[in-house]
Amino acid sequence: MFACWPWRLWLLLLFATDCRSMGLRSQEHQRASRIPSQFSKEERVAMKETLKGAIQIPPVSFGPEESNTTALAEFGGYIYKVFPTVLSTSFNQHEVMGEYSHLFTVQGSDPSLQPCLLLAHFDVVPAPAEGWEVPPYSGLECDGFVNGWGTLDDKNSVMAFLQDLELLSFFISLGHDEEKISALLQSRGIQLTFIVDEGSFIFDGFIPDLKNPFAMIANSENGSMNLMLSVESSFYLPPPPLQTTSWGLCFSSRLEQTPLPNMFGSWTLTVTLEQLAYELPFPANIILSNLWLFKPLVSRYLERNYITNAMVGTTTALTMFNAGVKVTSLVLSIRGVGTVYSRQLFQHQRIVADDRVQFHVLSAFDPLPISPYDDKALGYQLLRQTIQSVFPEFNTITPGNDFITDTTNLTTGIYRFSAIHLQPEVFRSIHGIHEKISVQAYENQVKFFFELIQNADTDKEPVSHQHKL
Ligand SMILES: *[C@@H]1O[C@H](CO)[C@@H](O)[C@H](O)[C@H]1NC(C)=O
Ligand SMILES: *[C@@H]1O[C@H](CO)[C@@H](O)[C@H](O)[C@H]1NC(C)=O
Ligand SMILES: *[C@@H]1O[C@H](CO)[C@@H](O)[C@H](O)[C@H]1NC(C)=O
Ligand SMILES: [Zn+2]
C-alpha cells in the first residue's frame, strides 16, 4: 500500500529476536512467565506522549544521499532518552549502523534456532508544503488522534517495537549474540524464519457490504520498473521540436493504451477474495467462493475500474518527457502484479516495434515470490494467532498483495502487517496532508507486537484455522 521510496536507502530500525526461544528454557517456565499486554493508565499515557515526541523530530530524507542528519542524530538521542532500559540492559545487543540505523538483537537460550526480524524505518519523505490543518511535525493530539507526518509511515512502528522491548526488558532475561541487518546478516550467513515489515493493515469499511473489518497480511508484492526510451533526433527529419515531440507522445500513448496481460488467478488476490467471500452477502459470496467457475467474470469486472485494474495487471505511466535537440527521451513507470522486468521489457519493445528506439532500464524490482501462508508457515500462522487473540472481533484474516520496494534474501517468509486498524479516510491520509493515527490504534499496535514477540517464543508449531472450501 505504501510506495515509500523509489530508491532503497531507508534508515532502518531493525529488531531481531530469536523467534522460537527467548531465553525461557521450558514450556512450563514459559507459560508462567508470560506477561499480559494489559498496560496501566500511566503506561498508556507515556506511550502516547513518547510517540508525539518522535513525530516532532523531522528526519527528512530528500533523496538517496541527502538527509537531515541533524534530525537523524536527534532521533537517535531521543530513543536513548525515552527507552533507557532497552538501551542499557545487557539483554539487548544494540548496534548503530551506517551512523543512524539501529539494530537490536534479542536472542534466546537456543542459538541453533533461526531468528526473525521486525523491520521499520523512521525517516520520512519531505512533507507536502501546504494545506495542513495541524502542522506536520507537531504531533498534536485532537479527537483521539495523534497528528503528524510519519504517524502511519512509519515512526509508529519504530516506536511500537521499542516500546515493547522496553516493556518486556523489565521481565525477560535474555542472552545476547552478534547479529546484524540485511547485507550484514547475509554476509554472516544468517537465515531468518520470517520478517515482519510495514505494509498491510486491518481494513475497516473499504468494501461495501463487508460486515466486519478484515486483517490482511501481505505476503506478496508487485514488481516495478522505470524504463527510459530514447531516440536520436536525426532519425526523424526535419529536426525538433515538433517531430520528436509527437514521436514521444505517440509512443507513450501507444504504450499506455496497449493493455498488458491480466494476471488475475496467478496471484494471491484470488485467495484474498475467496477468504472475504464468507463475509459477503449473496450473490458476491457465491461468486467469489466459486472462482473456478466465475474467474473470467470477476476478472473482467476488476478490469473495468482503474483501481481494481491495478490489482490484476500492470500499469504504465509516463513520468518524464524530454524533447531535446539531439536526443528525445521519455521515462515510463511500470508497476503491477507479476511485473517481472525482463518480460516487461520484452513486451514494451514489442509494442514500440521500432529498432531505432533505445531502451534503458533505470531501475527494476521484480515481484517477490509469494511467502508461504499454509499451516506450516510459522511466520504467517504466528501473525494469524496473534491477530485472533488481540483483535478477536476481526474474524477474517487473509493473505494479500502489497507494493513496497524493498527486498531481501534473508528469508522466504516476508509479511507486511502493521497491526493498525484503518478506515478509508485515515488510510488516505498516509503520505498526504493530515496523516494521523488514533491513540487507540497505536495502543493496539504496541499490544499486538508485545503479544507477537511472546507468541514467537514457543516450541510448538502453530495451529491454523483457515477456511476450507
Ligand atoms: C533538520 O532538523 C532540525 C531538527 O533536528 C531542524 O531544526 C531543521 O530545520 C531541519 N532542517 C531542514 C532543512 O529540514
Ligand atoms: C499493487 O498491489 C496492490 C495491492 O494488491 C494494488 O492495490 C495496487 O493497485 C497494485 N498495482 C500497482 C500498479 O501498484
Ligand atoms: C541474493 O543472494 C545472491 C547470492 O546469494 C546475490 O547474488 C544477490 O545479489 C542477492 N540479492 C539481494 C537482493 O540481496
Ligand atoms: Zn514506509
Side-chain angles (χ1 to χ4, degrees):
M1 301 299 146
F2 299 174
C4 288
W5 284 109
W7 49 82
R8 297 210 198 121
L9 279 174
W10 302 4
L11 284 144
L12 299 169
L13 179 138
L14 294 123
F15 160 62
T17 159
D18 188 318
C19 284
R20 308 295 290 279
S21 165
M22 301 231 311
L24 306 167
R25 269 162 224 283
S26 70
Q27 285 221 311
E28 285 101 275
H29 184 175
Q30 178 196 328
R31 248 175 253 123
S33 34
R34 181 157 188 117
I35 306 147
S37 58
Q38 276 147 9
F39 308 126
S40 68
K41 190 155 184 286
E42 292 73 33
E43 280 170 334
R44 287 166 49 219
V45 170
M47 249 177 230
K48 178 174 84 176
E49 296 303 323
T50 307
L51 174 67
K52 289 181 195 170
I55 300 305
Q56 286 160 9
I57 303 168
V60 178
S61 292
F62 303 98
E65 307 282 337
E66 288 167 78
S67 307
N68 185 338
T69 49
T70 318
L72 287 174
E74 195 188 326
F75 199 93
Y78 181 70
I79 60 175
Y80 275 89
K81 195 179 98 198
V82 294
F83 301 118
T85 316
V86 173
L87 288 136
S88 65
T89 53
S90 58
F91 311 144
N92 306 320
Q93 190 195 352
H94 174 223
E95 291 164 81
V96 175
M97 283 168 309
E99 281 189 83
Y100 304 109
S101 293
H102 298 261
L103 172 70
F104 294 88
T105 307
V106 181
Q107 190 153 359
S109 55
D110 188 349
S112 66
L113 294 173
Q114 281 184 357
C116 63
L117 184 65
L118 305 183
L119 204 54
H121 65 93
F122 57 83
D123 63 332
V124 288
V125 293
E130 280 165 25
W132 291 81
E133 272 163 27
V134 175
Y137 300 109
S138 63
L140 218 71
E141 185 182 346
C142 54
D143 302 330
F145 283 85
V146 174
N147 291 265
W149 198 229
T151 44
L152 289 168
D153 180 17
D154 186 33
K155 284 178 183 166
N156 57 316
S157 303
V158 172
M159 298 311 278
F161 295 166
L162 285 174
Q163 186 70 66
D164 287 328
L165 215 49
E166 179 82 8
L167 290 163
L168 285 164
S169 298
F170 283 106
F171 305 98
I172 309 178
S173 166
L174 300 158
H176 65 279
D177 205 357
E178 71 307 322
E179 319 269 64
K180 285 199 181 172
I181 53 165
S182 274
L184 222 50
L185 286 172
Q186 273 180 51
S187 72
R188 294 179 190 177
I190 308 247
Q191 277 292 307
L192 300 166
T193 323
F194 63 89
I195 294 177
V196 180
D197 199 354
E198 66 173 328
S200 194
F201 303 94
I202 296 156
F203 295 97
D204 186 356
F206 284 76
I207 300 179
D209 300 332
L210 195 68
K211 282 169 262 166
N212 293 305
F214 66 99
M216 190 164 97
I217 303 166
N219 66 335
S220 68
E221 291 174 42
N222 301 341
S224 72
M225 171 165 66
N226 283 311
L227 190 62
M228 184 164 91
L229 277 63
S230 64
V231 66
E232 282 189 31
S233 307
S234 57
F235 285 128
Y236 291 85
L237 293 170
L242 200 63
Q243 280 70 13
T244 45
T245 307
S246 56
W247 165 81
L249 294 177
C250 163
F251 279 132
S252 73
S253 72
R254 194 191 292 179
L255 285 165
E256 284 185 58
Q257 275 158 25
T258 309
L260 292 159
N262 183 325
M263 303 291 288
F264 186 59
S266 65
W267 219 242
T268 51
L269 183 62
T270 43
V271 185
T272 309
L273 294 176
E274 278 164 359
Q275 299 277 324
L276 292 177
Y278 293 86
E279 294 282 310
L280 286 165
F282 180 83
N285 58 349
I286 302 296
I287 292 174
L288 293 180
S289 49
N290 291 287
L291 284 175
W292 59 274
L293 180 60
F294 294 113
K295 204 181 265 181
L297 183 84
V298 175
S299 171
R300 271 202 303 281
Y301 178 80
L302 293 172
E303 266 176 15
R304 286 211 316 238
N305 165 309
Y306 79 102
I307 295 175
T308 48
N309 184 37
M311 293 178 185
V312 296
T314 303
T315 59
T316 299
L318 177 69
T319 56
M320 230 184 275
F321 179 68
N322 183 13
V325 177
K326 284 215 176 91
V327 175
T328 293
S329 65
L330 52 91
V331 176
L332 299 169
S333 163
I334 301 155
R335 310 191 347 178
V337 178
T339 304
V340 175
Y341 92 86
S342 51
R343 194 171 62 222
Q344 287 298 328
L345 183 60
F346 175 74
Q347 275 167 347
H348 282 79
Q349 281 168 333
R350 212 191 48 206
I351 295 166
V352 170
D354 187 333
D355 54 16
R356 289 168 301 186
V357 179
Q358 294 192 331
F359 285 76
H360 318 263
V361 176
L362 302 180
S363 64
F365 174 60
D366 277 348
L368 287 187
I370 296 174
S371 294
Y373 56 98
D374 58 24
D375 291 4
K376 294 207 170 56
L378 182 74
Y380 188 78
Q381 295 304 340
L382 280 173
L383 284 163
R384 268 185 81 86
Q385 276 182 0
T386 311
I387 294 168
Q388 276 161 355
S389 70
V390 178
F391 308 106
E393 65 279 29
F394 308 146
N395 46 19
T396 305
I397 301 163
T398 156
N401 185 31
D402 200 350
F403 175 84
I404 302 177
T405 49
D406 187 29
T407 185
T408 171
N409 268 0
L410 296 168
T411 180
T412 51
I414 299 178
Y415 304 99
R416 312 283 187 184
F417 186 64
S418 305
I420 305 260
H421 183 184
L422 284 185
Q423 292 79 18
E425 69 275 17
V426 182
F427 181 73
R428 280 192 294 271
S429 82
I430 303 171
H431 284 188
I433 49 173
H434 316 314
E435 188 170 317
K436 61 182 181 180
I437 187 170
S438 81
V439 172
Q440 182 65 57
Y442 180 63
E443 275 173 19
N444 282 341
Q445 187 183 22
V446 173
K447 186 170 169 178
F448 179 85
F449 285 102
F450 192 86
E451 293 288 336
L452 182 76
I453 292 166
Q454 296 192 80
N455 287 346
D457 177 23
T458 175
D459 295 332
K460 279 187 297 189
E461 292 296 328
V463 190
S464 152
H465 303 284
Q466 237 162 336
H467 288 297
K468 293 270 168 359
L469 291 178

